């Protein structure tokens, strides 16, 4: 059979199958067409806000920082947010390590205040190493975490830590690109040390470094959180020193153990300014005749 006869026979058979409703004919006929379909799968995404407001310089009057961070699922699929923290190279990892952090989820940024109690689901660590602030988020939803940062006694003076928070949102095996936000933690220069002289446990004498300030400048000695509780009598530079007895330290501050004393300049109304002229440590203890105080820790 030549080629022309084979082609003619194929055409005749096809027409016959179609006319007879044959499934084979339908298969042959439909194989010559095309089909197309599409499925919208969705996307992952992440957004982070609030970190720029976390830049803080700690001092004797700024002893902690409480700020909210908002984590957002910017994708079209529900997912789980996870965070990481890191210290930017060249800044102080020692300071980041010396700032303790506690973070917990809150209903809104307005609920993250300096007086807010730490809530359920909290995490804790330092700004060098902090567990993830993990939240399950619907598409487009956000979670607010309240962070509270407090420098410890080992925080180095005159230091800056540049902290970066990273955020990703994962859905199954898909993970969004990482977004980042950063802030700075700072500590001031170390205050000059007060000169302390013991007097047999009955009192100590604390002298501040001399300066070029007018001799009639007033000074006060302060203890307690934030160095806000004044102890002893205010003095001028003419005298240049304070005396402090054990019963002059309020029991609400300490009844025993080391106490940090901070000397500040007072304004014309007798209120403390932010200018610190010296700090030192005294220790409250008990001896045979009752409460006592000595220099040092």
């Amino acid at each position: 059979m030549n080629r022309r006869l084979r082609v003619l026979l194929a055409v005749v058979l096809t027409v016959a199958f179609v006319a007879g409703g044959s499934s084979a004919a339908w298969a042959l006929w439909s194989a010559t067409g095309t089909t197309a379909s599409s499925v919208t799968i969705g996307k992952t995404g992440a957004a982070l806000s609030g970190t720029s407001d976390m830049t803080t310089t700690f001092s004797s009057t700024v002893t902690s920082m409480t700020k909210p961070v908002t984590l957002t699922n910017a994708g079209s699929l529900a997912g789980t947010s996870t965070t990481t923290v890191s210290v930017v190279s060249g800044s102080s990892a020692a300071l980041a390590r010396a700032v303790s952090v506690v973070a917990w989820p809150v209903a809104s940024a307005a609920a993250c205040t300096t007086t807010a109690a730490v809530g359920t689901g909290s995490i804790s660590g330092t700004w060098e190493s902090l567990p993830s602030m993990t939240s399950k988020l619907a598409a487009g939803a956000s979670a607010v975490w309240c962070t509270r940062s407090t420098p410890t006694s080992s925080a180095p003076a005159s230091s800056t830590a540049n902290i970066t928070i990273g955020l990703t949102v994962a859905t199954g095996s898909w993970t969004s690109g990482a977004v980042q936000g950063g802030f700075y933690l700072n500590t001031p220069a170390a205050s000059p040390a007060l000169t302390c002289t013991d007097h047999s446990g009955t009192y100590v004498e604390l002298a501040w470094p001399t300066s070029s300030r007018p001799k009639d400048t007033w000074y006060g000695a302060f203890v307690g959180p934030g160095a806000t509780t004044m102890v002893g009598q205010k003095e001028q530079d003419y005298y240049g020193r304070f005396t402090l007895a054990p019963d002059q330290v309020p029991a609400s501050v300490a009844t025993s153990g080391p106490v940090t004393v901070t000397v500040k300049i007072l304004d014309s109304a007798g209120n403390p300014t932010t200018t610190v002229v010296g700090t030192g440590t005294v220790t409250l203890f008990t001896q045979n005749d009752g409460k006592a105080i000595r220099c040092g820790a």
Side-chain angles (χ1 to χ4, degrees), residues 71 73 78-82 133-139 141-143 145 169-170:
L71 319 176
N73 178 356
T80 301
S81 69
T82 56
M133 292 179 277
T134 301
S135 299
K136 294 186 181 298
L137 298 172
S142 297
W145 283 72
V169 176

Side-chain angles (χ1 to χ4, degrees), residues 20 28 33 64 85-86 126 137 179 207 220 225:
L28 177 63
S64 68
V85 298
S86 59
T126 70
L137 298 172
V179 294

Side-chain angles (χ1 to χ4, degrees), residues 69 71 81-83 103 123 127 130-135 145 147 165:
V69 177
L71 319 176
S81 69
T82 56
T83 60
I123 59 172
W127 280 123
L130 185 68
S132 172
M133 292 179 277
T134 301
S135 299
W145 283 72
T147 66
I165 299 177

Side-chain angles (χ1 to χ4, degrees), residues 158-177:
S158 302
S159 297
T160 294
N162 185 1
I163 311 299
T164 297
I165 299 177
L167 169 69
T168 58
V169 176
T171 301
S173 60
W174 298 343
T175 302
S176 71

